[in-house]
Amino acid sequence: MRHPIDPLGLVVRPLYTEPRVAVLPADHRLAGKEAVALFDLAAEHLLQDPGQVPGWRAVATELRTGRPAVPVFLSVEEKLEHVAAGRGVIFLPLSVMTFYTRPDIAYVPVPDLAPNEVSLAWPADRQVPLAEEFALLAAQ
């Protein structure tokens, strides 16, 4: 699972972290840059929960001026359609970029954005004899 999560009632074992990228329309003023700072995107409309983007609340101007409603998306593809249409931006883990290449969107690294953490989790109240061993092997 990808963080942030509510760990209540779970055993959580971290596996790895990966950088995040900003997903922008291909014709965006920052598309094609080698990298951008989170502050460079502060005036953009975020098409996801601000709690999913560390540091966003500190820089986002829309959170101070009245955030437009964000539709509920059921898939990454839906999010990408909205970005391509110029309705806003999203942030995704770098690995997602390799699965969703499209000519109408651009991925730009955001080095000052905390990396995305990936963990294994299972219910804390269930005895899962091989879970700890599997978690150790998966982390290697």
Side-chain angles (χ1 to χ4, degrees), residues 42 44 46 48-51 53 55-68:
E44 302 294 332
L46 184 64
Q48 65 194 112
D49 176 2
V53 184
W56 185 253
R57 291 188 189 282
V59 301
T61 58
E62 75 176 5
L63 295 180
R64 292 187 287 278
T65 59
R67 178 173 158 80

Side-chain angles (χ1 to χ4, degrees), residues 17 25 55 63 128 130 135:
T17 61
L63 295 180
V128 186
L130 296 177

Side-chain angles (χ1 to χ4, degrees), residues 13 15 120 122 130-140:
R13 295 290 181 262
L15 291 179
L120 287 174
W122 58 91
L130 296 177
E132 287 287 346
E133 184 178 352
F134 179 78
L136 287 170
L137 291 170
Q140 295 175 2

Side-chain angles (χ1 to χ4, degrees), residues 66-87:
R67 178 173 158 80
V70 175
V72 175
F73 300 114
L74 301 178
S75 66
V76 173
E77 291 88 351
E78 275 188 274
K79 290 179 184 180
L80 296 178
E81 285 297 321
H82 281 264
V83 170
R87 295 186 183 113

